Amino acid sequence: MNSAAPPSKDLAAVKGTKDILPGEVEVWQRVEAEAKRLFELYGFRELRAPVIEPTELYLKGTGETTDIVTKEMYTFTDKSGRSITLRPEYTPSVARAIVEHRLDLLGTPMRYYYIGPMFRYDKPQKGRYRQFHQIDIEVFGEKDPAVDAEIVEMADSLLRRLGVRGTETLVNSVGCRACRPAYGRDLKARAEAVRDRLCEDCRRKVEANPLRIFDCKVEGCRAEARNFPKITDYLCEECRDHFARFRGCLDLLGVAHRPEPNLVRGLDYYTKTIFEIVAGEGGQQNAVLGGGRYDDMMKDLGGPDICGTGFAMGLERLIALLDVKPEPRKFVYLIHVGEEAKTRAAVAARDLRAAGMEALLEFGVRNFKSQFARANKLGAGWALIIGEDEIRGGLYKVKDMATGDQKDVRPEGVVEFLRPRLEG
Ligand code: AMP
């Protein structure tokens, strides 16, 4: 587009979404590469599921009374009349894929990771988007609290490798189906007693699922929730023991953490362990990652009785904490003057790229001087100059843009000449 006018409002990016442009995307690539490398060291493998899923997956998996399902899903009916949802979270997709492909029968560890976009129709603000990106990891088929500790240690290790400092790890247990009913009764009674002081949304939650009041972002509701009964006072022996062993493992692995009895996380499927890593002054927007155990989810989806545990890390929030500048790229800018030089430059660029070097060639009609200025402006490490004299003499010029040193090199010797210089 030639016009300098911004696109009309109809054509601008959808509210709550954003473009990740060159200059910024290098940081994303670095974080993603680091995460993949680390997860593979822990035996995780990538599992890529579709962006769209049947809506029922989230009704059953995420939970019908969660904020995600009641308010935040991008749901539409496709041309066949089927209700489809853009995934708001990843765990149900992994559970579905395991059931669908019977991955549990393969005998391989069910440790999966994925990095990609999620969609929630939430109120956009700093750190909260409608299309955001998560690094998601899941372990299925492992009941031991040591696995919960192992994944928290893995998350902690990723943050440290990326140079993130000043985070806090909060842990809690939300119990299981044996210990939750008694807690649910007391919680409901207490919530009913303060119903008038809760927001409209939370008043509905008193009946539907009082645990979800803890997810409310309204300060008045949060203040009330701080005085609600604590789930940790209701845990059955098995859950209490699981939580104690989880914390013991974290200590052994050297992961500092703090129990937070009000932490319940916004999803219905959690059982026993839950955790969050927060940055800055705390609060919802500062949760860089959250996760926990979901021992009943697979069963609830109609699959085999396989337990699970995992976490999701928000990439936008993680990247906002990083203080990294992308490394300047080392590349060769090819300067060509004349028709024959243009085709020779194209061949030289192909050869450089085939040998693993970045080579940039532009075809706008420009003289030597303006191409040289471009090479400078773009920060090329080297310029390869091919003009009429160079073609006639059978020697190209290779110029070090930093020092200004220039050498004559035979065309077939260019790759050999530049390789050690670009790598060094
Ligand atoms: P959740 O799937 O809600 O447990 O969230 C896991 C992590 O994803 C959070 O700790 C955030 O870092 C990130 N996250 C969740 N919702 C959003 C959003 N709307 N925008 C940006 N990041 C989000």
Side-chain angles (χ1 to χ4, degrees):
M1 227 170 33
N2 280 329
S3 151
S8 81
K9 232 170 117 198
D10 297 345
L11 294 182
V14 171
K15 189 173 171 191
T17 71
K18 64 185 185 108
D19 300 308
I20 305 162
L21 302 175
E24 189 189 353
V25 85
E26 290 80 359
V27 180
W28 287 69
Q29 289 168 339
R30 201 199 127 205
V31 170
E32 289 166 9
E34 194 70 61
K36 288 181 182 182
R37 219 177 1 254
L38 183 74
F39 298 163
E40 304 256 342
L41 294 179
Y42 285 73
F44 286 77
R45 298 291 176 260
E46 189 171 5
L47 188 158
R48 298 188 190 191
V51 169
I52 52 172
E53 294 278 7
T55 302
E56 306 89 88
L57 184 64
Y58 303 108
L59 303 184
K60 284 194 184 145
T62 309
E64 299 202 44
T65 56
T66 57
D67 282 354
I68 291 182
V69 169
T70 54
K71 296 190 280 194
E72 298 171 1
M73 292 208 298
Y74 279 92
T75 297
F76 61 95
T77 307
D78 74 7
K79 288 189 169 37
S80 74
R82 176 136 207 217
S83 181
I84 298 288
T85 293
L86 298 184
R87 61 179 179 215
E89 58 145 345
Y90 204 63
T91 309
S93 294
V94 181
R96 181 199 47 69
I98 290 174
V99 176
E100 203 163 322
H101 306 285
R102 291 315 310 259
L103 300 178
D104 53 314
L105 301 181
L106 294 181
T108 45
M110 286 186 282
R111 293 181 164 228
Y112 307 108
Y113 71 85
Y114 175 73
I115 304 177
M118 307 292 151
F119 305 85
R120 293 183 196 172
Y121 192 81
D122 203 346
K123 202 165 159 209
Q125 53 188 270
K126 189 168 179 285
R128 203 189 297 158
Y129 305 95
R130 290 182 174 168
Q131 174 175 333
F132 59 100
H133 298 77
Q134 283 186 339
I135 296 181
D136 183 276
I137 72 102
E138 320 276 347
V139 181
F140 281 89
E142 292 266 24
K143 273 195 173 16
D144 203 293
V147 183
D148 300 352
E150 186 188 5
I151 61 173
V152 173
E153 189 275 326
M154 182 168 84
D156 188 60
S157 175
L158 177 62
L159 294 177
R160 274 185 292 110
R161 277 174 183 235
L162 293 170
V164 177
R165 300 274 174 273
T167 56
E168 191 178 20
T169 302
L170 310 177
V171 299
N172 196 19
S173 172
V174 287
C176 65
R177 284 188 176 158
C179 43
R180 252 202 282 188
Y183 174 65
R185 274 193 298 277
D186 285 5
L187 181 63
K188 191 166 180 180
R190 189 64 162 270
E192 264 165 359
V194 297
R195 181 191 218 109
D196 294 348
R197 298 207 284 273
L198 300 174
C199 73
E200 202 186 318
D201 208 22
C202 284
R203 274 181 237 151
R204 262 197 308 272
K205 290 177 181 174
V206 174
E207 296 307 324
N209 187 355
L211 198 62
R212 298 276 64 92
I213 297 172
F214 287 102
D215 305 331
C216 185
K217 290 153 195 157
V218 175
E219 192 38 58
C221 300
R222 293 177 77 142
E224 292 300 335
R226 278 192 278 275
N227 299 318
F228 283 177
K230 313 285 179 237
I231 175 78
T232 25
D233 294 333
Y234 292 75
L235 296 182
C236 65
E237 204 180 323
E238 188 195 318
C239 287
R240 239 192 344 261
D241 175 61
H242 197 276
F243 190 46
R245 287 195 291 140
F246 164 59
R247 295 198 54 202
C249 287
L250 284 179
D251 288 337
L252 282 175
L253 294 171
V255 179
H257 60 280
R258 178 167 69 79
E260 172 50 71
N262 279 336
L263 182 69
V264 294
R265 312 228 354 97
L267 305 165
D268 276 351
Y269 51 62
Y270 285 119
T271 49
K272 296 189 168 75
T273 314
I274 54 169
F275 53 88
E276 221 165 66
I277 299 187
V278 297
E281 315 92 69
Q284 289 266 323
Q285 252 64 273
N286 291 321
V288 186
L289 75 91
R293 178 163 280 283
Y294 31 86
D295 288 347
D296 302 321
M297 180 198 239
M298 192 82 101
K299 209 169 41 207
D300 292 347
L301 287 174
D305 187 2
I306 298 173
C307 61
T309 184
F311 66 74
M313 186 180 288
L315 266 171
E316 282 80 2
R317 292 192 200 168
L318 170 62
I319 284 168
L321 297 175
L322 301 183
D323 183 24
V324 286
K325 302 229 166 7
E327 294 264 309
R329 308 179 85 104
K330 291 183 176 172
F331 69 95
V332 188
Y333 189 94
L334 292 101
I335 297 175
H336 52 96
V337 183
E339 268 313 299
E340 188 179 346
K342 184 161 84 181
T343 46
R344 284 188 179 228
V347 170
R350 180 205 60 193
D351 292 346
L352 286 164
R353 292 162 182 159
M357 284 169 271
E358 182 175 335
L360 180 64
L361 180 62
E362 293 183 302
F363 294 102
V365 187
R366 281 196 211 90
N367 58 23
F368 171 82
K369 215 172 130 198
S370 49
Q371 287 187 57
F372 191 76
R374 285 281 294 165
N376 243 328
K377 183 163 175 246
L378 297 176
W382 292 81
L384 176 65
I385 302 159
I386 311 176
E388 279 167 16
D389 290 350
E390 285 74 26
I391 293 172
R392 213 173 306 117
L395 287 172
Y396 295 169
K397 285 198 173 58
V398 185
K399 191 178 182 83
D400 182 332
M401 298 298 286
T403 63
D405 291 347
Q406 193 168 288
K407 270 230 154 5
D408 291 332
V409 180
R410 283 177 299 108
E412 55 282 17
V414 168
V415 164
E416 211 179 308
F417 178 84
L418 282 174
R419 198 186 341 235
R421 291 168 171 84
L422 274 168
E423 278 169 1

